[in-house]
Amino acid sequence: AGFGGPDTFGGAISTPNLSRVGEMGLSYNRFHVTAVCSPTRAALLTGRNHHRVGMGTVAELPGPYPGYTGTRPRSCTALPRILRENGYVTGGFGKWHLTPGSQMGAAGPFDHWPMSWGFDHWYGFLTGASGQYDPIITQDNTTVGVPDGQDGELYYFPDAFTDKAIEWLHQVRAQDAQKPWMMYYSTGCSHAPHHVGKEWADKYKGKFDQGWDAYREQTLARQKQLGIVPENTELSERPDLFPAWDSLSNAEKKLYARQMEVFAGFSENADWNIGRVLDAIETMGDLDNTLILYIWGDNGASMEGTLTGSFNETTFFNGVVLDADEQLEIIDRFGGIEALGGFHTAPHFAAAWAHANNTPFPWGKQMASHLGGTRDPMVVAWPARIKATGDLRTQFTHCIDIAPTVLELVGIPEPKEVDGIAQEPMDGTSFAYTLDDAKAAERHTVQYFEMLGNRAIYKDGWWACARLDKIPWDFTPETMKRFAPGAYDPEKDVWELYYLPDDFSQAKDLAAEHPDKLTELKELFWQEAERNRALPLLAAFSVWLGDLPPLPTITRYAYAGDVQNIQTTMIPRIYGRSYAIEAELNVPHSGGEGVLVAFADFIGGFALWGDENGLLNHPHQFLGVETYKQTSTEPIPSGDVTVKMQFEADEPGPGSGGTVTLWADDKQIGEGTMPQTVSLMFTTYAGMDIGRDNGGVVDLAYEDKAPYAFTGTVKQVVFDLQPATHEDEHALHAAEQQAGVAHGVSG
């Protein structure tokens, strides 16, 4: 979510509750984040720079260097733990994204789940992304799974987890009318998939038909009128990467305008739900004495939707690019353009809309080099303490400043030791000094930024930066070869220089005019990067780029018949190789039907299931673009039987097609071909189930029977993966790393 999205900061998205908090207190127009979500969340909750707490990139992509482990060291205790040890009850709700992907199951370890960070209670999801209609819910240290709707209504996570947050507040006050509480409320919005009901998206019908170029101009004008930006602010140039709106076809304009309507409705719903929390706090009588920090985004708006956006965000991660006409044709299968954002889609908007949502700044998410990725709106209120109402604060602030500010305001010292472990000092600077004095001298005067090679240094108003020469959504092997050890020299990157007191929007590069200042700041960046464990540069790609040998491939996975909601980060890596899925069953004499195993859903997933005629089916959903399905020619026999789907890849490699055979014990009962397969990832959020299909189903043929539990007994499901040759295995491992990067940064 970007600086130029909410109408509170001049955008077009209705955010009355962001405005409500700002009008009760203060708005900050120079608040900064890290440019990607896991790192921002870790920095916010610990008060330390993100590399110092192991989050050089997202939690799903741990590396071998201290700044990139994906795990918070115990020497950096988080704010909720500090508050809890000082008498607070702490609750967290919504999105987490601070647990390594390999640790998201019942075996743990739970050191990096929310409760280990100091929360007494947690309700939400662990991954970076989630379907808003069928999330995999984690409560405390237990995976609850995919919830069902109430009274026939479609489940919607933003509304439901807000109910849980309010319920928790009521329970706390029911027991203790005075005990202080801390709530971390973190929406799944506006991360893709942009899921929202038609009634919310329709509020914006026609409002974006003028396109992203006009939107940027209109937003800057409103920002100036509101006083959110200085009157002399210039609009940064639209990069040549993004097309001019007037150059688009009618089909493109139709699709892209609806993408933005969906995004706006999704965002407004999030603000509405925050209003419900505020109303509950006010009704409880706690509003006057509650410190509220409402931050609009953990990075700038995401350009990972590519130039076209998509009805299914995972298409572009797999190298499938669909133009507007192709997308509109597919969307028609699910109810037409107005169904975008509904249950049968998983959309992301075109990258140029992200750039527009970051007005007036250049670029967006991942770009730690530029303000489009690192500057987000923040409003702060505490009616009993902050006397100014509706005022603006312009001092430099950063997400690492949140924890020390809270501690100062509530009168709790930063701990020197926790559980016998000496604590690393917080890097943040409390901005409590700004609450009463708009003209107070800035205290946070130096700050480095680094994300995926994009980097910057801020000092006393000056900003020097270098952007990696790649587009945000391109993590293909061909592109990444340019950044392999020996191929990439960071000293050859072009650095830019800005003086932000005179250039709010990063519109005037002064590098040529002030070479000495640029040299000074470049040296300072490398010093700060080393001190904060950000080096080596591009360490996030170390395994992928060949710094280390590939990890051994696990070739056999066995699941008992009652295992549910296996996170997408933990499923067998079947991509690009031959493999088999065997299900050991007991089939009643009357026949067995239902799902044996299912992963993800109808726009990316696979399953084995028996139909009402007892026939075995294997659908492979190719990202909502194609469905490849094989059905047996005879029923599954009754009694104890092992059925199998065997896929023989034409050759090892991402996306390889091949031949499918279906078996009952030693007898072949079906066959077919798959001309192509999903190459890198089926989904960013959906899980795998044994003996049923929770949430969105893989095969729409049984959607009306979902979750369609198998009527017999599933004793065990086994995945058997065929190892490739050493060279092929290395290539497949590189593809897995590509998927990890794509999956992770999409968080």
Side-chain angles (χ1 to χ4, degrees), residues 255-283:
L255 175 63
Y256 300 161
R258 187 57 176 178
Q259 289 172 353
M260 185 58 201
E261 291 169 8
V262 169
F263 180 82
F266 188 28
S267 302
E268 183 181 343
N269 172 270
D271 183 81
W272 174 75
N273 273 305
I274 290 168
R276 295 175 57 213
V277 176
L278 296 175
D279 289 345
I281 295 169
E282 185 171 25
T283 301

Side-chain angles (χ1 to χ4, degrees), residues 238-309:
R238 169 174 43 78
D240 293 338
L241 174 66
F242 307 131
W245 182 263
D246 290 343
S247 70
L248 302 178
S249 68
N250 289 335
E252 288 170 328
K253 290 178 179 179
K254 176 183 177 181
L255 175 63
Y256 300 161
R258 187 57 176 178
Q259 289 172 353
M260 185 58 201
E261 291 169 8
V262 169
F263 180 82
F266 188 28
S267 302
E268 183 181 343
N269 172 270
D271 183 81
W272 174 75
N273 273 305
I274 290 168
R276 295 175 57 213
V277 176
L278 296 175
D279 289 345
I281 295 169
E282 185 171 25
T283 301
M284 287 162 42
D286 279 357
L287 188 63
D288 282 349
N289 199 33
T290 296
L291 170 63
I292 303 166
L293 301 108
Y294 183 170
I295 300 167
W296 186 263
D298 54 7
N299 43 244
S302 171
M303 299 181 294
E304 292 148 1
T306 75
L307 296 180
T308 63

Side-chain angles (χ1 to χ4, degrees), residues 45-356:
L45 287 171
T46 65
R48 281 89 168 181
N49 284 316
H50 59 108
H51 293 93
R52 291 197 46 221
V53 288
M55 292 290 174
T57 180
V58 289
E60 292 97 333
L61 200 65
Y65 300 101
Y68 297 84
T69 62
T71 56
R72 173 186 56 86
R74 295 181 66 191
S75 57
C76 296
T77 296
L79 178 64
R81 171 76 188 277
I82 298 170
L83 293 178
R84 188 180 72 188
E85 297 292 339
N86 284 275
Y88 282 71
V89 60
T90 57
F93 300 86
K95 173 178 172 176
W96 182 240
H97 203 198
L98 290 169
T99 303
S102 62
Q103 298 180 16
M104 292 183 183
F110 301 99
D111 305 46
H112 305 291
W113 287 43
M115 297 185 76
S116 70
W117 284 56
F119 288 105
D120 293 308
H121 174 62
W122 171 261
Y123 186 90
F125 59 92
L126 295 182
T127 47
S130 177
Q132 304 303 311
Y133 302 115
D134 57 349
I136 299 179
I137 295 295
T138 296
Q139 182 169 316
D140 301 333
N141 278 349
T142 301
T143 300
V144 176
V146 180
D148 295 324
Q150 298 291 326
D151 301 322
E153 292 291 321
L154 183 65
Y155 176 90
Y156 192 56
F157 177 72
D159 298 353
F161 97 91
T162 302
D163 291 343
K164 292 291 186 180
I166 294 170
E167 178 184 305
W168 177 77
L169 286 171
H170 289 164
Q171 289 173 338
V172 168
R173 279 291 168 261
Q175 177 186 338
D176 191 325
Q178 302 298 324
K179 187 166 186 174
W181 51 265
M182 175 248 186
M183 177 189 288
Y184 176 67
Y185 177 98
S186 175
T187 74
C189 174
S190 54
H191 194 288
H194 300 158
H195 277 158
V196 74
K198 180 177 178 295
E199 67 276 12
W200 288 94
D202 283 354
K203 290 185 175 187
Y204 293 90
K205 265 194 172 183
K207 292 189 177 180
F208 303 109
D209 289 354
Q210 79 279 17
W212 41 67
D213 294 318
Y215 180 93
R216 295 186 76 223
E217 294 171 357
Q218 294 164 5
T219 296
L220 179 57
R222 289 190 294 261
Q223 289 171 336
K224 291 180 178 180
Q225 184 178 8
L226 290 169
I228 287 294
V229 306
E231 189 60 36
N232 66 351
T233 300
E234 296 182 16
L235 192 62
S236 60
E237 292 185 5
R238 169 174 43 78
D240 293 338
L241 174 66
F242 307 131
W245 182 263
D246 290 343
S247 70
L248 302 178
S249 68
N250 289 335
E252 288 170 328
K253 290 178 179 179
K254 176 183 177 181
L255 175 63
Y256 300 161
R258 187 57 176 178
Q259 289 172 353
M260 185 58 201
E261 291 169 8
V262 169
F263 180 82
F266 188 28
S267 302
E268 183 181 343
N269 172 270
D271 183 81
W272 174 75
N273 273 305
I274 290 168
R276 295 175 57 213
V277 176
L278 296 175
D279 289 345
I281 295 169
E282 185 171 25
T283 301
M284 287 162 42
D286 279 357
L287 188 63
D288 282 349
N289 199 33
T290 296
L291 170 63
I292 303 166
L293 301 108
Y294 183 170
I295 300 167
W296 186 263
D298 54 7
N299 43 244
S302 171
M303 299 181 294
E304 292 148 1
T306 75
L307 296 180
T308 63
S310 180
F311 75 99
N312 173 15
E313 60 161 341
T314 39
T315 53
F316 41 81
F317 294 140
N318 289 279
V320 177
V321 179
L322 303 169
D323 63 28
D325 290 308
E326 291 169 324
Q327 288 193 58
L328 289 170
E329 181 181 348
I330 293 171
I331 293 168
D332 280 344
R333 304 175 196 166
F334 300 110
I337 188 71
E338 292 189 356
L340 199 68
F343 185 78
H344 291 100
T345 67
H348 201 313
F349 59 11
W353 274 127
H355 185 248

Side-chain angles (χ1 to χ4, degrees), residues 476-488:
T476 60
E478 293 73 23
T479 293
M480 296 309 295
K481 285 177 183 176
R482 295 191 287 114
F483 304 106
Y488 169 64

